[in-house]
Amino acid sequence: MASSSAARGGPRSLPRLFTRGTLALVLGVYTIYQLGPFLWLATMSLRTTAEISAAPYAWPKPMHFEQFRTAWVDSDFATYFWNSALVVVSAVAVVTLIGAAAAHALARYRFRGNRIIYGILFSSIIFPPQITLISLYQILVDYNLYNSLFGLSLVYISLQLPLTVYLLEGFFARIPQDLFDAAKMDGYGDLEIFWRIVLPVGMPAIATTLILNFIQLWNEFLFAVVLITDPDKRTLPIGIRAFMGDHFQDIGMIATGVMISVIPVIIVYVFFSEKLIRGMTAGAIK
Amino acid sequence: MPDAPTLTTDSGKARAFPRATLADPRRATRLVLAIFLGPGLLVYCGLTAYPAFRTIYDSFFTIEGLDATFVGLANYRDLMGDETFWVAVRNTFVWSFVAPVLDVATGLLLALALYAGVPFARFLRVAWFTPVLLSYVVVAILWMWIYNYDWGVLNVLLRAVGLGDLASSWLGDPKLALGAVIVTHAWKWAGFNMVVCLAAIHSLPKEVLEAADLDNCGWGAKLRYIIIPLLRPTLLSLYILSFIGKMKVFDLVWIMTQGGPLWATETVSTYVYKRAFNWNTFDLGYPSAIATVWFLVVCVSVIILNRVLGSRERLEY
């Protein structure tokens, strides 16, 4: 691509150079626009509020790494972090397993109602969350699951189920049928086929779904804020917001708390950027 | 797709084995299907379908604590006369119809820039995608600081270039607040649209683009006559996707402005939340009615958009 446009340089190379320069400038500015706020946040997380109010855009010097310790220990961010981790990891594990099982059945077996079940599951992706939010609140109160991390996990499982089934069904349907026929001939039962063929062969897609579900639930706010009020059970997004409500002026500490919530996502992104981008966009391309 | 017939020689072979429980490997007993589909359907029925129906049912009641009084269509009648609701609808519609155009256009332009072969394209793609991964809480807090009147980046820059008069309280002014929140939302999602467009451009037939190059077709013409028409299905599905996202928008608004100032950024989602959990009205029936109406509006809008925009493509989430 690059070579074809460069090869045609010739007499027009000066204006072309100018265009290229403008393009580079625009893209540079745009990159600052997209990345700058986050880097600014990163610098603020290492500075005290006093330093920030003196000069909001200075480099952290000295770097106050102890801010992270303070946020973690004294400002309860450790609690929020582990609550988030517990809820999200358990919900993602369960939703991936039951989603994969459902996706396998829908992709592989012919039975009456197959497409109807798929359609019903799929269409709930467009539902506005409020349609279930108010009733889920009532239901969880009825069953004593309100204000409990277990209840929140259950809700999270239901939130991510349609997307999980949708993504995995698409992938599982492309696994060649020959593989299943051969397995059947070797005497594999239906469950064995799922366990020993679909899951290993589908690992790339399952990994993508895992990462995608992790990010979306890690960032989830609406259901957490409605279903959790106990300070000890807050997840990170609502913990940060509550902290911000109480300490509106303490910008340095808020920035540190925000960084604590972002770091796991960034770590996942550094290692799995391609998988993640593919997963997040899988629904839109086809 | 899974419906493809597989009655090839394999099934003949399978029949030769008496041990094979079923002749057609694409069939399974009810028990097996129940084991695979059961948990998923249980979760779906218990935590999505049942709550959705219950919300619709509740919308005909006034619900205070454990007391539910049947009120018929009274909630819906009140809703028609509820000015705040209509302001919220207006804001959400403005956001949902206008912003996606910007989103898709930016996404396409960015993707084209990367496709044209700028240096560091791989890095830029990953960098631009980063905001998509940040939670709304993080994005909202960041942008509240960016919009801060005294030391926010925006006003600092404006003052630095001598446009200090334009410095405003971006989230505090009813005329500017909605725009400010929309920009923030667009900032978060630009990378998503870019990546989807880029993937779609890369999957375009190479011959067509090369033929255009041979004909000395300029970028403008190439874009107008080749790339955009070929990308039409992708762009439309991005538009609808973006539309759906905006019809649901809650977190960002709730954290940045709580729907204020003076309802300027109120969306239907924030209004439902306020009526259900934030105001001391203690009635869950009325917000259920709003949620029901909005549920229908979203579904109908998506169906209409799908029809009007003529996309034959399956609607993706």
Side-chain angles (χ1 to χ4, degrees), chain A:
Chain A
M1 293 158 272
S3 60
S4 73
S5 55
R8 294 196 297 121
R12 283 190 295 163
S13 62
L14 205 67
R16 190 162 286 271
L17 212 61
F18 178 72
T19 335
R20 292 233 125 194
T22 327
L23 184 66
L25 187 71
V26 170
L27 294 185
V29 170
Y30 188 79
T31 306
I32 294 172
Y33 169 68
Q34 291 281 271
L35 272 191
F38 177 69
L39 297 177
W40 181 43
L41 174 78
T43 63
M44 284 199 289
S45 71
L46 293 172
R47 307 175 70 211
T48 63
T49 303
E51 287 171 346
I52 294 171
S53 11
Y57 304 103
W59 187 252
K61 192 171 69 169
M63 299 204 182
H64 291 279
F65 284 104
E66 73 272 11
Q67 289 234 118
F68 280 87
R69 204 200 63 83
T70 315
W72 189 257
V73 180
D74 304 335
S75 305
D76 288 338
F77 278 98
T79 316
Y80 306 152
F81 185 93
W82 292 119
N83 287 343
S84 264
L86 183 68
V87 171
V88 172
V89 169
S90 55
V92 167
V94 175
V95 79
T96 308
L97 189 65
I98 65 177
H104 168 61
L106 292 172
R108 196 50 52 188
Y109 296 118
R110 261 180 274 157
F111 55 93
R112 202 194 292 197
N114 181 318
R115 288 298 95 182
I116 295 174
I117 293 178
Y118 177 76
I120 289 174
L121 278 178
F122 172 66
S123 62
S124 63
I125 288 176
I126 66 167
F127 287 7
Q130 285 75 20
I131 194 72
T132 56
L133 180 70
I134 301 170
S135 301
L136 277 175
Y137 163 77
Q138 292 169 286
I139 293 166
L140 292 196
V141 170
D142 289 349
Y143 288 90
N144 277 327
L145 291 170
Y146 176 65
N147 238 334
S148 96
L149 295 177
F150 177 66
L152 189 64
S153 296
L154 282 181
V155 171
Y156 278 1
I157 292 168
S158 76
L159 286 185
Q160 296 305 109
L161 184 70
L163 182 65
T164 310
V165 172
Y166 170 68
L167 289 176
L168 291 180
E169 199 268 354
F171 187 86
F172 289 168
R174 288 199 298 272
I175 301 177
Q177 179 65 29
D178 294 351
L179 214 55
F180 295 91
D181 298 346
K184 272 247 153 118
M185 269 186 284
D186 287 346
Y188 278 36
D190 290 283
L191 293 183
E192 262 179 308
I193 287 180
F194 175 66
W195 197 250
R196 295 171 65 170
I197 294 178
V198 176
L199 289 186
V201 172
M203 230 359 153
I206 292 173
T208 304
T209 328
L210 276 174
I211 298 170
L212 181 64
N213 282 335
F214 166 76
I215 301 268
Q216 291 193 345
L217 290 182
W218 188 261
N219 291 343
E220 207 285 330
F221 176 77
L222 174 59
F223 283 86
V225 82
V226 169
L227 300 176
I228 301 285
T229 49
D230 187 343
D232 291 340
K233 293 186 177 138
R234 284 177 186 144
T235 58
L236 270 172
I238 55 173
I240 292 169
R241 195 181 122 77
F243 182 83
M244 197 173 170
D246 297 340
H247 311 266
F248 195 74
Q249 302 295 332
D250 197 353
I251 291 162
M253 202 44 80
I254 296 171
T256 312
V258 168
M259 271 314 271
I260 289 178
S261 84
V262 171
I263 284 170
V265 174
I266 295 297
I267 291 176
V268 171
Y269 191 48
V270 166
F271 285 103
F272 303 103
S273 58
E274 284 307 313
K275 259 202 157 45
L276 226 163
I277 291 178
R278 227 179 307 133
M280 301 254 345
T281 54
I285 319 168
K286 248 182 198 175

Side-chain angles (χ1 to χ4, degrees), chain B residues 4-80:
Chain B
T6 47
L7 289 169
T8 46
T9 48
D10 300 315
S11 59
K13 262 184 240 160
R15 222 169 274 134
F17 279 85
R19 263 179 57 225
T21 43
L22 292 155
D24 185 351
R26 306 211 71 149
R27 298 215 177 275
T29 58
R30 293 208 170 161
L31 178 68
V32 170
L33 287 179
I35 292 171
F36 283 135
L37 283 170
L41 287 179
L42 195 68
V43 167
Y44 181 82
C45 293
L47 294 164
T48 304
Y50 168 58
F53 282 116
R54 182 161 168 180
T55 303
I56 296 170
Y57 179 75
D58 281 354
S59 68
F60 301 107
F61 291 82
T62 293
I63 297 171
E64 281 159 345
L66 292 172
D67 308 325
T69 330
F70 183 74
V71 293
L73 291 171
N75 284 330
Y76 290 94
R77 212 170 36 240
D78 292 348
L79 191 56
M80 291 305 113

